[in-house]
Amino acid sequence: MERYSRYQFLKSMGFKGAALMALMTSCIREEDTYVEALSVNPNSSTGTSTGTGTGTGSATGSTTDLSTITNRLLTIDLTATANAALKTVGGYLVKSGIVVAQSSAGVYVAATQTCTHEPKKKIIFNKTEYYCTDHGARFDLTGKGLNSFGSKGLTVYKTATDGTTLVVYS
């Protein structure tokens, strides 16, 4: 008798996309965890956060002088109520086709909302990874695919913050 993980069982029952995600995130027990926890630490003693390079997975230095950043894709006011989701670990929002999340205390990550499996804007942030709600493509925080649907990788962006403003850039 072959043992299945909860994820494998639900997939074999025909669940996919948002329905699969809803089932996977409800009634979570430690033994049901499908994804190992991923810890991302800032590379700075000042407490500012860093993201990862565009698809390279290499760490980048953080900055508190946001005015020196070129190639800005998005600027987010972290004090605005519209961006309250970014105040909690695991919280995320989608703006201008970019998924921005707080992956761990004070650490922000950002990636394109467009999945590489099929060019649909279905990428969300799920605890420790990016997830496509359409076909189940999974990507780590560096953009590396975690299953066959995510094999093409995902474009991720650099982030920097001064505590009140978050900048996403390439």
Side-chain angles (χ1 to χ4, degrees):
M1 179 176 205
E2 189 176 342
R3 285 187 57 120
Y4 288 108
S5 69
R6 182 175 181 211
Y7 174 80
Q8 291 167 324
F9 173 74
L10 292 171
K11 288 285 283 187
S12 73
M13 297 299 295
F15 289 99
K16 64 181 182 176
L20 176 61
M21 185 54 107
L23 288 169
M24 288 298 296
T25 58
S26 66
C27 302
I28 301 274
R29 296 183 318 233
E30 188 62 35
E31 60 269 19
D32 287 337
T33 303
Y34 185 66
V35 180
E36 293 293 323
L38 175 64
S39 176
V40 178
N41 295 316
N43 288 336
S44 169
S45 60
T46 62
T48 58
S49 65
T50 58
T52 56
T54 307
T56 64
S58 60
T60 60
S62 63
T63 180
T64 54
D65 185 5
L66 301 180
S67 65
T68 63
I69 296 175
T70 57
N71 299 325
R72 287 180 183 229
L73 302 172
L74 197 57
T75 301
I76 299 172
D77 178 0
L78 294 173
T79 64
T81 55
N83 303 323
L86 293 178
K87 291 184 180 188
T88 59
V89 173
Y92 78 95
L93 54 85
V94 178
K95 287 193 176 198
S96 303
I98 298 174
V99 179
V100 183
Q102 186 176 166
S103 61
S104 61
V107 178
Y108 296 91
V109 293
T112 181
Q113 186 187 12
T114 305
C115 185
T116 54
H117 173 247
E118 287 185 6
K120 296 181 180 178
K121 291 187 175 192
K122 299 289 186 165
I123 298 292
I124 64 167
F125 182 77
N126 181 36
K127 299 179 185 173
T128 60
E129 68 182 18
Y130 295 103
Y131 178 81
C132 177
T133 59
D134 207 27
H135 294 105
R138 297 174 47 236
F139 308 91
D140 69 12
L141 298 183
T142 68
K144 180 182 173 192
L146 297 173
N147 62 10
S148 61
F149 290 123
S151 63
K152 293 180 184 175
L154 188 69
T155 302
V156 296
Y157 304 108
K158 300 172 191 172
T159 64
T161 185
D162 61 5
T164 57
T165 302
L166 174 68
V167 175
V168 178
Y169 62 105
S170 59

